Amino acid sequence: MQSLALVDDWPVEHAAAGVVGADGTVRGTRGDTARRFPLASVTKPLVAWAALVAVEEEAVTLDQPAGPEGSTVRHLLAHTSGLAFGEHRAVAEPGTRRLYSSAGFEVLAATIEEATGIAFADYLHEALLAPLGMAATTLDGSPGHGATASVDDLLRLAAEMQAPTLLHADTVREATSVQFPGLNGTIPGFGHQKPNDWGLGVELRDGKSPHWTGSRNAPGTFGHFGQSGTFLWVDPEAGAACVALADRDFGDWAKTAWPALSDAVLADL
């Protein structure tokens, strides 16, 4: 895919990217796709998918209490628990605002750890990474932002998100549907969004503007980006997903480069 050559011009030292179809076929790659990059918040979809495995295994339920009083596992996954961004401190009533929270994913991981009796990093490996062959991926820090992975590994995850083998298709549909509709909130770096729709551990594109995906991305596109210069999106209408990892922190460069790459990839498809 010629579109992926755009990453060669990014103002970064290292970048790699890839596209995978809904049938699991890798449509194209660029750069060193085996290189491991810190994911920052692209960690969250990995943690969310492992949490959904825990739900299907009946270790936890989406609507069981977790986090601040009145909050549930679902609230934590959908950034509506009321927890602050990086502190285990409630700053709003659950279900009233979309407050993006890495602390919420730490509480989520602790909830699963307590329910399963397995250290969360080990649970993540057993539930998600090992079955998908994501051998280059590790969780070495916070479940909100502490994973490291390669493009090759994230393409495996993106394929799984499109054609699930570890989860029931209904679970994935729920995860990629709006949770707590109508809530407003801020996307870090892209300002206040009305509404700021999220699924379970993934952001939903809908009609948001400005946005880190492209203008060609369908409203049903879901995914995540990370402050370390990383993103993963799945566009069900296009039947494909795109992963791009870089070693420069998110900034103005990414606000231009990421949508341009996304639109070029979709045009290529």
Side-chain angles (χ1 to χ4, degrees):
M1 295 183 68
Q2 289 301 311
S3 52
L4 294 178
L6 287 176
V7 303
D8 296 347
D9 296 324
W10 285 3
V12 303
E13 187 172 356
H14 298 100
V19 174
V20 62
D23 62 356
T25 301
V26 175
R27 303 288 297 273
T29 61
R30 193 77 173 186
D32 182 359
T33 57
R35 183 185 180 88
R36 300 175 75 241
F37 292 83
L39 298 184
S41 285
V42 177
T43 301
K44 291 182 175 71
L46 279 71
V47 170
W49 249 244
L52 295 173
V53 172
V55 168
E56 290 205 353
E57 291 180 344
E58 300 183 348
V60 298
T61 69
L62 285 173
D63 297 313
Q64 77 177 58
E69 185 175 356
S71 173
T72 65
V73 168
R74 187 188 302 273
H75 284 102
L76 293 170
L77 281 163
H79 296 288
T80 58
S81 70
L83 284 171
F85 168 74
E87 301 176 67
H88 293 217
R89 175 176 60 90
V91 294
E93 291 294 318
T96 61
R97 293 169 61 190
R98 191 83 63 186
L99 292 174
Y100 183 76
S101 175
S102 277
F105 273 68
E106 294 169 0
V107 173
L108 172 67
T111 300
I112 294 169
E113 186 170 303
E114 181 178 359
T116 61
I118 303 170
F120 183 75
D122 294 335
Y123 187 83
L124 176 67
H125 183 265
E126 293 175 17
L128 185 74
L129 305 182
L132 295 183
M134 297 174 65
T137 302
T138 55
L139 178 63
D140 303 310
S142 166
H145 51 80
T148 302
S150 65
V151 167
D152 288 335
D153 272 15
L154 290 186
L155 290 175
R156 294 182 179 97
L157 176 63
E160 170 69 17
M161 288 175 158
Q162 296 177 87
T165 61
L166 303 179
L167 295 172
H168 193 281
D170 288 344
T171 301
V172 176
R173 277 192 287 271
E174 175 75 3
T176 56
S177 299
V178 181
Q179 306 291 312
F180 307 99
L183 295 184
N184 300 331
T186 299
I187 300 176
F190 289 91
H192 203 64
Q193 303 286 336
K194 298 183 178 181
N196 186 16
D197 286 340
W198 281 73
L200 298 173
V202 288
E203 189 213 333
L204 309 182
R205 194 201 190 290
D206 290 346
K208 294 169 183 167
S209 181
H211 201 255
W212 55 275
T213 63
S215 60
R216 289 175 175 263
N217 280 100
T221 299
F222 61 90
H224 219 293
F225 80 88
Q227 288 290 327
S228 58
T230 58
F231 76 72
L232 180 161
W233 56 249
V234 176
D235 188 329
E237 191 171 302
C242 182
V243 172
L245 306 180
D247 58 1
R248 180 179 179 183
D249 285 352
F250 169 82
D252 287 342
W253 73 271
K255 294 179 185 180
T256 301
W258 290 353
L261 175 64
S262 300
D263 281 338
V265 163
L266 290 165
D268 231 354
L269 290 169

